[in-house]
């Protein structure tokens, strides 16, 4: 699997989870202590988040890291 493809698939998963929990990018950014623009970059597959960032995103969504990758 190409590196960029992984980023895109993860971004799609993040967007799906946000929709499931009815959270906007801005709300997720606030809950995750991240920049809203960075959330958008991840969802478009333009950025690859670090492990620390992934943990913040999972916490912001109120889910486990495992659930974040359950796709």
């Amino acid at each position: 699997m190409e590196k960029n493809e992984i980023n895109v698939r993860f971004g799609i998963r993040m967007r799906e989870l946000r929709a499931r929990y009815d959270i906007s990018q801005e709300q997720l950014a606030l809950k995750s202590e991240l920049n809203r623009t960075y959330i958008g970059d991840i969802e478009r597959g333009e950025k690859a988040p670090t492990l620390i960032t992934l943990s913040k995103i999972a916490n912001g969504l109120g889910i486990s890291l495992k659930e974040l990758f359950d796709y």
Side-chain angles (χ1 to χ4, degrees), residues 41-54:
D41 290 344
I42 294 170
E43 287 188 359
R44 289 188 301 278
E46 296 171 0
K47 299 284 183 179
T50 65
L51 291 173
I52 292 169
T53 300
L54 292 171

Side-chain angles (χ1 to χ4, degrees), residues 14-59:
M14 238 179 82
R15 208 173 6 237
E16 289 171 350
L17 289 167
R18 268 196 323 98
R20 179 184 304 166
Y21 297 110
D22 195 31
I23 299 174
S24 70
Q25 284 184 349
E26 290 156 359
Q27 291 169 318
L28 179 57
L30 285 172
K31 291 179 177 191
S32 304
E33 300 179 350
L34 298 168
N35 185 289
R36 188 211 45 86
T37 304
Y38 187 56
I39 296 290
D41 290 344
I42 294 170
E43 287 188 359
R44 289 188 301 278
E46 296 171 0
K47 299 284 183 179
T50 65
L51 291 173
I52 292 169
T53 300
L54 292 171
S55 178
K56 288 181 176 186
I57 291 168
N59 287 335

